[in-house]
Amino acid sequence: MTEHTDVDRYAGTWVVLPTYDEAENLAGISAAILHALPGATLLVVDDSSPDGTGELADRLAGQDPRIVVRHRAGKEGLGKAYIEGFRVALDAGAAHVIQMDADWSHSPDYLPALMAAIEHGADLVIGSRYTRGGGVRDWGILRRIVSRGGSLFARVVLRLRTHDLTGGFKAWRRAALEAVEWERVHSGGYVFQIETTYLATRAGASVVEVPIVFKDREVGTSKMSKSIIVEALLVVLQLRWEELRGRGPTARMDRTGDEG
Ligand SMILES: Nc1nc2c(ncn2[C@@H]2O[C@H](COP(=O)(O)OP(=O)(O)OP(=O)(O)O)[C@@H](O)[C@H]2O)c(=O)[nH]1
Ligand SMILES: [Mg+2]
C-alpha cells in the first residue's frame, strides 16, 4: 500500500546522474536512488567513460525500465552533461528534476527530504552543507576553507541568500528549471552550480536549503582542480559586473502551469 502510494508520488520525478568513470559506483547508487524514490525515472548521462560505465548503464537499463541512458561522445564536463540531461527530462514531461553525483557524496537517503521541500512549495531545493544540521565528512581544512569561502564569496558578490552555492545536490520544480537562461551559463565545474542557482533566484524561484552531510568519494578519482576555482571566482565577478551594467538576466518563472 505505502509502496504503491510512493510510486505514484514520484512518478513525475527524474533524477539526472552524470557519470564519468563511475563503474564501481553505478549499480549500487542506481539501486539506492530507485529505492528512495520508487516510481521515479533515473537518467544516466555518461560521457563515454573509458572504464565502461556507459555499457554498465545500458545493462542496468535493460533490467529496469525506470533507468534511461544518454551517451555523449566525449568528456565535456559536468555542466554540459547536466544541460543535456535536463533537456531530455523536460522533453519527456518531468514535473521535478533532481541532480546529484554518482560517487555517494550525495546520499540517496536525503532524496525524500529534498522532494518533501518541493511538495511544500519550494521551486529549487538545495541539499546544503552550510545550513543548520548540514556538514562535510572527511575533508581537510584546506578543502573546507575553499568550499565555504567560495560559497560565501558568491553569496556576497551576487547578493543571494543561499548558503551553499557550490553544492550539486538539488531538486528543481519544472518551471524553475525552465526559467534558467541556459545561454548565460558558462557550464564549467563548480561554477555551473553557482550560476544555475543564481539564475533561478533572479527568475523568482523560491530557494530552500535542506541540510545534508556530504561524504567524500570512496572509490574512483577526484577531478577537483585549481583552474576550476579560479574560473568560479572570475565568473561570479563577471555575473555581477553584467548586472551592474544593466545586462543581467531577465527571464521570469512561469507559474501558470503550477500544480503547487
Ligand atoms: N557525464 C559527465 N559526468 C561527469 C563529468 N565530470 C564529472 N562527472 C560526474 O559528476 C559527478 C561529480 O563529479 P566528481 O568527480 O565527483 O566531482 P567532485 O565531487 O567535485 O570531486 P571528487 O568527488 O573529489 O572527484 C560524478 O558523478 C562524476 O562521475 C563529465 O565530464 N561528464
Ligand atoms: Mg564527487
Side-chain angles (χ1 to χ4, degrees), residues 18-20 22 45-47 75-78 81 100-103 105 143 190 214 216-217 221-224:
T19 56
Y20 192 78
E22 301 287 4
V45 184
D46 185 72
D47 278 11
K75 182 164 169 53
E76 279 194 276
L78 189 64
M100 63 189 288
D101 292 355
D103 61 359
S105 290
R143 186 140 188 207
Y190 290 91
F214 180 98
D216 227 351
R217 69 162 61 246
T221 44
S222 176
K223 291 131 197 153
M224 170 88 164

Side-chain angles (χ1 to χ4, degrees), residues 71-95:
H71 297 280
R72 292 165 48 80
K75 182 164 169 53
E76 279 194 276
L78 189 64
K80 291 264 162 59
Y82 267 130
I83 290 173
E84 183 162 340
F86 291 158
R87 188 73 268 146
V88 171
L90 291 176
D91 286 349

